[in-house]
Amino acid sequence: MIAVILALGAAVAWGAADFLGGLKSRAIATIVVVAFGQATGLVLVAAVVAARGDEPPAARFFVYAALAGVTGAVGIGALYRGLAVGAMSIVAPVTATGAVIPVVFGVGTGERPTGLQGAGLALALGGVVLAARQQGGGDVRGRVAAGVGLALLAALGIGSFLVALDAASEGGVAWALLAQRSVCLGLVLAAAAGARPNTRVS
């Protein structure tokens, strides 16, 4: 039961982040929004690690966390950019199908979903195809809605992030998040330094 409650809480938090991040990405550069979000999270996680005083885990867990940082940076960046250029009602659900990646990984490592869960995955993938179609008059065959490509990249990045973070969390959740955020923020700041984004609110 606790797992379900935590999952629902995570869904609410992700949904709020999607909305607020996408909204702000339409006013200022996406990379600035991502950097602010990652920096805020890093400060909070660092405070938790300091308060708990846990010993750092083995080096291999930091490798997993670094991988989560890389894939997370790609996923979040693509998501926020997709929300900025496309319809939120399309980009966010398509991105959410990244949850299929941990399921596929789990099946590959010996887990077996129920028939109902398998049907749910099939429906989710079918929903991506339907949501990606461009609506409107005229001949629109072969066209996809704006932001769908970025949403698919975000799904791949976030799904891979979940797999890597799960492995890193076996060495301690707080340390995994601290390392992941540090790597992600470092990548985002490096990209921002090269891109020199406009930070003014339009």
Side-chain angles (χ1 to χ4, degrees), residues 17 59 66 75 85 99 107 113 133 155 164 169 184 201:
V85 302
V107 171
R133 295 182 61 186
S169 296
C184 186
V201 178

PDB file of all heavy atoms in Angstrom, residues 17 59 66 75 85 99 107 113 133 155 164 169 184 201:
ATOM      1  N   ALA A  17       5.311  19.633 -11.796  1.00  0.00           N
ATOM      2  CA  ALA A  17       6.571  20.067 -12.409  1.00  0.00           C
ATOM      3  C   ALA A  17       6.420  20.226 -13.917  1.00  0.00           C
ATOM      4  O   ALA A  17       6.952  21.172 -14.510  1.00  0.00           O
ATOM      5  CB  ALA A  17       7.682  19.072 -12.085  1.00  0.00           C
ATOM      6  N   ALA A  59      31.335   2.953  -4.912  1.00  0.00           N
ATOM      7  CA  ALA A  59      31.530   3.760  -6.125  1.00  0.00           C
ATOM      8  C   ALA A  59      30.569   3.380  -7.239  1.00  0.00           C
ATOM      9  O   ALA A  59      30.138   4.240  -8.016  1.00  0.00           O
ATOM     10  CB  ALA A  59      32.970   3.620  -6.608  1.00  0.00           C
ATOM     11  N   ALA A  66      25.295   8.870 -11.810  1.00  0.00           N
ATOM     12  CA  ALA A  66      25.777   9.756 -12.876  1.00  0.00           C
ATOM     13  C   ALA A  66      25.031   9.491 -14.173  1.00  0.00           C
ATOM     14  O   ALA A  66      24.666  10.428 -14.899  1.00  0.00           O
ATOM     15  CB  ALA A  66      27.281   9.548 -13.075  1.00  0.00           C
ATOM     16  N   GLY A  75      16.154  14.065 -20.649  1.00  0.00           N
ATOM     17  CA  GLY A  75      14.710  13.902 -20.565  1.00  0.00           C
ATOM     18  C   GLY A  75      13.991  15.166 -20.154  1.00  0.00           C
ATOM     19  O   GLY A  75      13.010  15.579 -20.795  1.00  0.00           O
ATOM     20  N   VAL A  85       6.998  24.365 -27.102  1.00  0.00           N
ATOM     21  CA  VAL A  85       6.673  24.510 -28.527  1.00  0.00           C
ATOM     22  C   VAL A  85       5.415  23.757 -28.940  1.00  0.00           C
ATOM     23  O   VAL A  85       4.881  23.998 -30.021  1.00  0.00           O
ATOM     24  CB  VAL A  85       7.847  24.039 -29.407  1.00  0.00           C
ATOM     25  CG1 VAL A  85       9.113  24.822 -29.073  1.00  0.00           C
ATOM     26  CG2 VAL A  85       8.093  22.545 -29.253  1.00  0.00           C
ATOM     27  N   ALA A  99       7.442   5.517 -18.841  1.00  0.00           N
ATOM     28  CA  ALA A  99       7.297   4.510 -17.789  1.00  0.00           C
ATOM     29  C   ALA A  99       7.349   3.093 -18.352  1.00  0.00           C
ATOM     30  O   ALA A  99       7.569   2.132 -17.604  1.00  0.00           O
ATOM     31  CB  ALA A  99       5.987   4.720 -17.040  1.00  0.00           C
ATOM     32  N   VAL A 107      10.986  -6.736 -17.147  1.00  0.00           N
ATOM     33  CA  VAL A 107      10.680  -8.006 -17.820  1.00  0.00           C
ATOM     34  C   VAL A 107      11.966  -8.681 -18.278  1.00  0.00           C
ATOM     35  O   VAL A 107      12.143  -9.903 -18.152  1.00  0.00           O
ATOM     36  CB  VAL A 107       9.737  -7.778 -19.015  1.00  0.00           C
ATOM     37  CG1 VAL A 107       9.597  -9.044 -19.853  1.00  0.00           C
ATOM     38  CG2 VAL A 107       8.372  -7.316 -18.525  1.00  0.00           C
ATOM     39  N   PRO A 113       4.910  -9.022 -15.656  1.00  0.00           N
ATOM     40  CA  PRO A 113       3.669  -8.278 -15.407  1.00  0.00           C
ATOM     41  C   PRO A 113       2.453  -9.162 -15.644  1.00  0.00           C
ATOM     42  O   PRO A 113       2.523 -10.158 -16.371  1.00  0.00           O
ATOM     43  CB  PRO A 113       3.737  -7.140 -16.437  1.00  0.00           C
ATOM     44  CG  PRO A 113       4.581  -7.685 -17.542  1.00  0.00           C
ATOM     45  CD  PRO A 113       5.600  -8.582 -16.871  1.00  0.00           C
ATOM     46  N   ARG A 133      -0.843  12.273 -33.775  1.00  0.00           N
ATOM     47  CA  ARG A 133      -1.380  12.672 -35.077  1.00  0.00           C
ATOM     48  C   ARG A 133      -1.804  14.125 -35.071  1.00  0.00           C
ATOM     49  O   ARG A 133      -2.427  14.608 -34.146  1.00  0.00           O
ATOM     50  CB  ARG A 133      -2.575  11.789 -35.440  1.00  0.00           C
ATOM     51  CG  ARG A 133      -2.211  10.335 -35.653  1.00  0.00           C
ATOM     52  CD  ARG A 133      -3.416   9.525 -36.065  1.00  0.00           C
ATOM     53  NE  ARG A 133      -3.985   9.988 -37.316  1.00  0.00           N
ATOM     54  CZ  ARG A 133      -5.117   9.519 -37.854  1.00  0.00           C
ATOM     55  NH1 ARG A 133      -5.799   8.576 -37.223  1.00  0.00           N
ATOM     56  NH2 ARG A 133      -5.555   9.979 -38.999  1.00  0.00           N
ATOM     57  N   ALA A 155      10.578  10.928 -23.186  1.00  0.00           N
ATOM     58  CA  ALA A 155      10.144   9.626 -22.668  1.00  0.00           C
ATOM     59  C   ALA A 155      11.327   8.674 -22.555  1.00  0.00           C
ATOM     60  O   ALA A 155      11.482   7.959 -21.551  1.00  0.00           O
ATOM     61  CB  ALA A 155       9.067   9.035 -23.575  1.00  0.00           C
ATOM     62  N   ALA A 164      18.126   3.837 -14.139  1.00  0.00           N
ATOM     63  CA  ALA A 164      19.441   4.113 -13.548  1.00  0.00           C
ATOM     64  C   ALA A 164      19.317   4.553 -12.095  1.00  0.00           C
ATOM     65  O   ALA A 164      20.111   4.144 -11.237  1.00  0.00           O
ATOM     66  CB  ALA A 164      20.168   5.183 -14.362  1.00  0.00           C
ATOM     67  N   SER A 169      19.764   3.883  -6.207  1.00  0.00           N
ATOM     68  CA  SER A 169      19.079   3.998  -4.920  1.00  0.00           C
ATOM     69  C   SER A 169      19.331   2.811  -4.002  1.00  0.00           C
ATOM     70  O   SER A 169      19.098   2.909  -2.790  1.00  0.00           O
ATOM     71  CB  SER A 169      17.569   4.155  -5.138  1.00  0.00           C
ATOM     72  OG  SER A 169      17.289   5.362  -5.817  1.00  0.00           O
ATOM     73  N   CYS A 184      23.503  16.231 -13.188  1.00  0.00           N
ATOM     74  CA  CYS A 184      22.524  16.872 -14.066  1.00  0.00           C
ATOM     75  C   CYS A 184      22.722  18.382 -14.092  1.00  0.00           C
ATOM     76  O   CYS A 184      22.762  18.999 -15.166  1.00  0.00           O
ATOM     77  CB  CYS A 184      21.114  16.518 -13.601  1.00  0.00           C
ATOM     78  SG  CYS A 184      19.812  17.108 -14.708  1.00  0.00           S
ATOM     79  N   VAL A 201      12.422  37.568 -18.852  1.00  0.00           N
ATOM     80  CA  VAL A 201      11.068  37.055 -18.987  1.00  0.00           C
ATOM     81  C   VAL A 201      10.342  37.871 -20.036  1.00  0.00           C
ATOM     82  O   VAL A 201      10.306  39.091 -19.962  1.00  0.00           O
ATOM     83  CB  VAL A 201      10.311  37.128 -17.649  1.00  0.00           C
ATOM     84  CG1 VAL A 201       8.888  36.629 -17.816  1.00  0.00           C
ATOM     85  CG2 VAL A 201      11.037  36.326 -16.593  1.00  0.00           C
TER      86      VAL A 201
END
